[in-house]
Amino acid sequence: MPEIVTRFAPSPTGYLHIGGLRTALFNYLHARKHGGKFLLRIEDTDLARNSQDAAQAIIESFKWVGLEYDGEVIYQSQRFDLYASYAKKLVEEGKAYYCYMSKDELEALRESQRAQGITPRYDNRYRDFVGTPPSDVEPVIRIKAPLEGEITFDDGVKGRICVQAKELDDFIILRSDGSPTYNFVVAIDDALMGVTDVIRGDDHTSNTPKQILIYQALNFPIPKFYHIPMILNPEGKKLSKRDGAMGVMDYKLMGYLPEALLNFLVRLGWSYEDKEIFSLQEMRELFEAKNINSSASRYNQEKFLWLNQHYIKACDDTRLEALLGEFGINLSTLQAERKALLFSVLKDRSKTLLEFAAQIKDLQSQLESYDEKMLSKLDPAAKALLGELALDSGFAERFRAPSASKAAQALESYLHEFAEAKGIKIGKLMPALRLALLGKPGGIGVCEALVIIGESESIKRLHALSTYTS
């Protein structure tokens, strides 16, 4: 059995979005599953619309998620001479021809066809032309499409597809300025790169018959095609930026882990029994292209966040600290046990690294204000007691327990004792403590916050609220 070779071939006219990354992932997994090669090609023939930044972002996206491609990146913009040579070869063999039809003539033909209720198409007027060509028109090169019969191929997702030859016209393979067309270069590059299996979005299904004609004209082997349905939004419509069709690196900025993104994408169109969690290694071992779903998948933000939190919880603390550093978090001065407590508490409360970082900043930042609504509801007696608690030696002593977790337990017990001794319900004291420590409702448990913020800073914050006047 020949080695399986797949490729991902994005156009750098915009940033790589998750639909493109899913296509790349399926190609990568199919190749790795069978011990084959996965190649990367940048389809940058549209010189006017290409973006160097977008091309670089594609490379960065692959590096971030860990999809390793084989060999060097192929850039189509560096291969124009190659494409021109193949176009001229087809002309010399009588499989393609020069067409001197001007743009005005072509548009006039289309208008006439529309008026007659005919689908606009080129009328083959230069297909067998033998006269003197116009001297004022730079010709294009068109391939000779079959005039009858059908083009068929077995799609690995959709099954057998048959297109009548009469539906195709003699399409352009080389423009008058010498630039090649999409279907022409795709077929040439896939053949020369040794691609055996093409997995791509089903919006390319209509391109496949044209590419098959190119393969046949150049006597190239035809690869196996898999056309995968697009990702839809929850309402079943085309995915928009609001739904999640953003650049891949935007997800990094939003605090998603790469393993969560890949796990989320692999389940959009493929499944293995009832398994939901897949490491990249498990994907490589279990993925089968023949099991790609033939129906469109729907983007599920809640599932994505659930997966991301799963991977945050599983993340090693050393790696997690490094990742949080990218969000402006510096924990180098935090004692190791307090840091471990911080991570254990926030892993259960954070769906993204952005949320994780925000909660740490709440603990690290100096309070500049208090939540007005919470402040208005604060029990005056509880607020006054914060000053006493800040001066209480028994309270300070609980911070010095043998470990951070034991300190949190000791503080919880002591706060109940303190409230009881002062004749106030613990339910009145705790909101005052939370406001003093964090300045707002929500966040981690009060006792964990005390330990993580530390004895000196905690006492300072309790005293500040006890003397605060609006």
Side-chain angles (χ1 to χ4, degrees):
M1 185 175 178
E3 178 184 45
I4 285 181
V5 179
T6 66
R7 53 73 166 173
F8 179 57
S11 174
T13 55
Y15 293 98
L16 179 64
H17 57 79
I18 60 169
L21 182 61
R22 182 189 65 160
T23 299
L25 176 62
F26 283 2
N27 277 282
Y28 169 85
L29 296 176
H30 184 51
R32 294 293 183 258
K33 165 74 175 183
H34 299 282
K37 292 180 181 177
F38 170 61
L39 310 176
L40 177 60
R41 181 175 74 232
I42 304 297
E43 298 192 335
D44 54 350
T45 58
D46 190 343
L47 302 180
R49 296 177 60 217
N50 288 337
S51 164
Q52 196 62 41
D53 288 342
Q56 186 57 38
I58 293 168
I59 306 296
E60 291 177 0
S61 297
F62 271 62
K63 183 177 180 181
W64 178 55
V65 299
L67 295 188
E68 298 177 353
Y69 50 86
D70 297 294
E72 298 296 321
V73 181
I74 298 294
Y75 292 87
Q76 287 185 333
S77 60
Q78 301 172 3
R79 296 158 70 87
F80 275 29
D81 290 345
L82 174 70
Y83 307 135
S85 69
Y86 274 104
K88 291 175 182 176
K89 178 178 185 295
L90 291 178
V91 171
E92 292 168 358
E93 294 176 353
K95 298 174 181 177
Y97 59 94
Y98 292 103
C99 173
Y100 296 87
M101 195 172 188
S102 68
K103 290 182 179 180
D104 289 341
E105 288 176 315
L106 185 58
E107 185 55 38
L109 172 64
R110 288 172 175 167
E111 284 297 326
S112 174
Q113 290 170 331
R114 290 189 192 101
Q116 299 174 58
I118 302 172
T119 301
R121 57 183 292 152
Y122 172 64
D123 61 4
N124 294 355
R125 67 180 60 179
Y126 283 98
R127 182 180 175 108
D128 298 307
F129 182 75
V130 292
T132 302
S135 60
D136 59 343
V137 177
E138 286 293 331
V140 299
I141 296 179
R142 292 180 180 271
I143 194 165
K144 287 185 177 180
L147 300 177
E148 57 185 16
E150 57 188 25
I151 298 98
T152 62
F153 63 97
D154 291 314
D155 190 287
V157 177
K158 297 178 176 296
R160 192 164 184 80
I161 294 177
C162 178
V163 176
Q164 297 301 311
K166 63 182 180 181
E167 295 180 25
L168 303 177
D169 61 3
D170 290 358
F171 56 90
I172 297 171
I173 59 175
L174 202 70
R175 300 182 184 92
S176 59
D177 63 1
S179 62
T181 58
Y182 171 76
N183 287 306
F184 187 54
V185 296
V186 165
I188 290 173
D189 283 336
D190 282 347
L192 297 183
M193 292 168 69
V195 173
T196 61
D197 296 62
V198 175
I199 302 176
R200 58 190 179 189
D202 62 4
D203 54 326
H204 286 286
T205 306
S206 61
N207 290 323
T208 304
K210 293 182 178 181
Q211 291 168 17
I212 287 175
L213 293 185
I214 302 296
Y215 287 114
Q216 292 173 335
L218 293 171
N219 297 315
F220 287 148
I222 299 173
K224 174 72 175 178
F225 294 99
Y226 300 81
H227 290 97
I228 56 179
M230 66 176 63
I231 302 171
L232 303 177
N233 71 6
E235 289 74 43
K237 299 179 181 179
K238 184 178 179 180
L239 197 65
S240 67
K241 188 171 183 179
R242 180 176 58 85
D243 302 309
M246 295 174 288
V248 168
M249 297 308 288
D250 288 333
Y251 288 95
K252 180 181 181 182
L253 297 176
M254 292 166 64
Y256 288 89
L257 296 179
E259 53 266 46
L261 179 56
L262 292 182
N263 195 154
F264 177 64
L265 291 178
V266 81
R267 289 288 289 109
L268 291 177
W270 175 82
S271 62
Y272 180 80
E273 298 177 348
D274 58 353
K275 187 174 174 65
E276 291 287 349
I277 305 296
F278 294 87
S279 67
L280 187 55
Q281 180 60 36
E282 288 174 321
M283 293 182 212
R284 287 193 290 253
E285 294 171 356
L286 300 174
F287 183 82
E288 289 286 356
K290 65 181 181 181
N291 293 332
I292 295 174
N293 296 339
S294 59
S295 57
S297 302
R298 298 197 182 193
Y299 186 95
N300 185 327
Q301 180 65 17
E302 288 305 310
K303 171 66 75 66
F304 194 4
L305 289 170
W306 174 79
L307 281 168
N308 201 54
Q309 185 168 34
H310 166 83
Y311 284 104
I312 286 176
K313 289 179 180 179
C315 190
D316 173 81
D317 285 359
T318 301
R319 179 192 172 207
L320 185 56
E321 183 173 356
L323 290 171
L324 289 168
E326 298 178 14
F327 292 86
I329 299 301
N330 183 352
L331 300 174
S332 59
T333 60
L334 188 63
Q335 188 261 346
E337 283 196 354
R338 287 163 61 196
K339 188 186 301 182
L341 177 63
L342 171 69
F343 283 165
S344 68
V345 170
L346 291 187
K347 280 181 177 181
D348 287 326
R349 301 182 59 87
S350 307
K351 293 181 178 179
T352 68
L353 294 175
L354 203 57
E355 288 183 359
F356 209 122
Q359 293 182 84
I360 293 177
K361 288 175 183 177
D362 285 343
L363 294 165
Q364 289 183 328
S365 302
Q366 294 294 322
L367 293 183
E368 297 180 355
S369 63
Y370 298 107
D371 180 82
E372 290 294 336
K373 185 176 181 180
M374 194 174 180
L375 192 63
S376 66
K377 293 182 177 181
L378 201 63
D379 185 279
K383 178 185 173 186
L385 285 174
L386 293 179
E388 290 188 40
L389 185 61
L391 298 173
D392 191 303
S393 60
F395 175 66
E397 184 181 341
R398 298 310 188 274
F399 282 91
R400 300 158 201 164
S403 69
S405 59
K406 289 184 178 179
Q409 294 170 4
L411 283 164
E412 183 174 7
S413 296
Y414 189 80
L415 289 174
H416 279 83
E417 294 171 7
F418 179 84
E420 185 176 354
K422 298 298 180 180
I424 189 172
K425 292 182 178 180
I426 192 68
K428 296 286 187 181
L429 181 62
M430 285 301 197
L433 277 165
R434 180 174 296 281
L435 186 62
L437 296 171
L438 303 176
K440 60 183 182 180
I444 67 173
V446 167
C447 296
E448 287 85 356
L450 285 166
V451 174
I452 293 164
I453 292 171
E455 177 187 340
S456 176
E457 180 62 23
S458 292
I459 289 174
K460 177 181 175 182
R461 293 187 186 190
L462 296 189
H463 180 72
L465 180 58
S466 70
T467 57
Y468 176 79
T469 55
S470 55

